[in-house]
Amino acid sequence: MAIQVRDLNHWYGSGSTRRQVLQGVDLAVAAGEVVLLTGPSGCGKTTLLTLVGALRQVQEGQVRVLGQELAHSSRDRRQQLRRSIGMIFQGHNLLRCLTAEQNVQMGADLLPGLGYRARRDQAREWLRSVGLGDELNKLPHDLSGGQKQRVAIARALAAQPRLLLADEPTAALDSRTGREVVELLQRLAQNQGCAVLMVTHDPRILDIADRLLRMEDGRIVEAN
Amino acid sequence: MSALWRARGIPLSWLLLTRQPVRLLVALAGISFAGILMFMQLGFRDGLFDASVTVHKLFDADLVLMSPRTMSSISMAGFPRRRLVQAMADADVEGITPVHWNFLLWRNPETRATRSILALGFEPVDPLFTDPALAQKVQVLSQRGRVLFDERSRPEFGPVADWYRQGRTVESEVGGKRVRVAGLVSLGPSFGADGNLITSSETFLSLLPNTPPGSIELGLIRLRPGADPAAAASRLQATLPQDVKVYTKAGFVEFEKNYWRTSTSIGFIFTLGAGMGFVVGCVIVYQILYSDVSDHLPEYATLMAMGYKLTSLLGVVAREGLLLAVLGYLPAYATGQGLYLMIRNATQLPVAMDTPRALTVFTMILVMCMGSATLAMRRLADADPAEIF
């Protein structure tokens, strides 16, 4: 199991402004599985993603990610675990001062025990596999939206994650590019045996999922 | 070596700085400016202190006798010459030179204006300065009314050196008596004295007839090779009467510098100036690094989400500070060298780049940049990876 969530509750704010965003969420994602999560905005999808991604402290419930319990985990444990989780954001969040190749290498640099050249070669290999072999030395500034998102995918996968979390990766892309990017993501993740949990609003990409989940008001309401 | 190779990564600090060339240039200009300011202020300070002892350093002496009433080279008091002779009784003392030291009025041979000049009088047969070239020149002083003029004296004393080199007979009036320039020496002006001249004791006394007989202002003592100057100094101080004080040569130099350091506000003023440069530099570097971190906050947060440690990101900011320090120091050093050259030419002050000052300024710049980097790091605590989804 890549993700195992049981009875997860989460609140924002405190005192009278305290608001519950997750209400007893149960979720399981098997290794290598591609799961899409949809739902109206504000229903808690992103919060769930940040909790599974070890970016936030779990308040109540159980979250096991890649065999590690995240409830009561220390900051260092979470930081260590994040190295095995690839993340793709709504914005590409590339480092503006680095070239495409260097951005991907920031992901490869997290791998232990590899020499500089080996890591650089891996970065190039990943960029080739997302179809950007000719754009190695371009800055994010000079790349199109779809290209940037593909660099972001290469960066996430270069760290050889066992779980990939994506938050609306197609939001900033036109439909055709969005479709291409997501198909690429699915193919590469499956080659690696990497589980994918993707939040999306985009109805055109739902067919790539092994499983589709829908969230409403902090609950997972239907699983088919 | 292989561990280093494995540790090698993307030079993030360098790229963060260099991919924003305008900001980098502003930062470097600010740091260099602060560095130059510190070089100037500290250079002036040290130069002025060193200038107060240009002549002191030249004397051929291991120990120096002075009157306890002497406070500095601009107010030398006399003491009995006998004391110097008495010092000869010590087994370690090899030779002595009594020196007259006073300020006289020199008349500019061109404009007829008078100006105060430092005059040294000694027996031409005795050694005075360590410089062997001088020993040749002093022969001419055995003739009465002859003086050696310091060619590095300030121009207000007249074009004496130029005229002399052209072969003209340069005569002027000192203390109301006619003297002839019989040669040039190169000593350099000091804090208290704008110019120097050297003459024989006999001439000196004729220029200053009111000098009490048997009274001198300075007694130079040379020890036999291998003798310990500090031990000899305390031995002499114990045996000689209380109307003289014994200094080692270093102590004599330090005594003079100390007068200018403690009895004038020069040290305070220039140190304050250097401090201002430091503060200005701190503000500039802090501004630059703080806005740099702020601008890249989402990127730092992304790196944290990817699993980079907070400490490794703090390291990135620290290396930015280090790079700024080194890159900002180099132009400051080069400009400092150039400005020192200009000051030397314009003022004859012995201002030069010495290693301790170069290191002091580098340390100040390093503290400035690393301190600012440390303050800017606090901004990194605001990078919350949970906020970037």
Side-chain angles (χ1 to χ4, degrees), chain B residues 85-167:
Chain B
V85 182
Q86 281 169 332
M88 280 294 274
D90 192 281
D92 279 346
V93 174
E94 205 174 53
I96 53 169
T97 307
V99 179
H100 295 283
W101 173 302
N102 218 324
F103 285 88
L104 296 168
L105 284 180
W106 166 275
R107 192 176 291 282
N108 183 329
E110 192 176 48
T111 64
R112 311 281 165 202
T114 56
R115 195 174 174 91
S116 186
I117 195 167
L118 173 64
L120 301 179
F122 77 118
E123 296 298 337
V125 289
D126 293 335
L128 182 65
F129 294 128
T130 41
D131 187 358
L134 227 57
Q136 289 287 315
K137 292 181 178 162
V138 297
Q139 303 300 326
V140 297
L141 294 180
S142 48
Q143 244 183 314
R144 196 171 173 159
R146 301 294 158 97
V147 298
L148 293 173
F149 184 81
D150 179 5
E151 59 182 354
R152 286 167 63 197
S153 301
R154 286 196 57 87
E156 286 82 353
F157 290 101
V160 177
D162 292 339
W163 287 3
Y164 181 82
R165 280 198 209 92
Q166 288 160 16

Side-chain angles (χ1 to χ4, degrees), chain A residues 46 49-50 55-56 75 79 82-83 87-89 93-99 102 105-107 109-110 113-114 116 119 139 155 167, chain B residues 5-12 15-16 19 295-300 302-310 384-389:
Chain A
T46 301
L49 219 52
T50 55
L55 297 171
R56 231 182 253 288
R75 211 185 154 91
Q79 173 257 321
R82 287 203 293 267
R83 290 175 168 235
M87 296 186 200
I88 293 165
F89 310 93
N93 281 24
L94 297 176
L95 271 64
R96 282 169 292 166
C97 66
L98 301 185
T99 62
Q102 289 168 330
Q105 201 181 334
M106 288 305 290
D109 280 355
L110 288 164
L114 275 184
Y116 179 77
R119 282 179 274 128
L139 291 172
R155 176 175 68 177
D167 190 19
Chain B
W5 189 243
R6 256 203 300 283
R8 190 180 158 200
I10 303 289
L12 194 52
L15 293 170
L16 280 168
R19 291 277 157 83
D295 285 358
H296 295 97
L297 216 49
E299 298 173 22
Y300 284 119
T302 307
L303 290 177
M304 283 168 79
M306 287 168 66
Y308 279 91
K309 283 201 194 92
L310 180 63
D384 183 359
E387 295 300 319
I388 53 171
F389 263 117

Side-chain angles (χ1 to χ4, degrees), chain A residues 48 154 165 208:
Chain A
L48 180 59
L165 301 176
I208 64 155

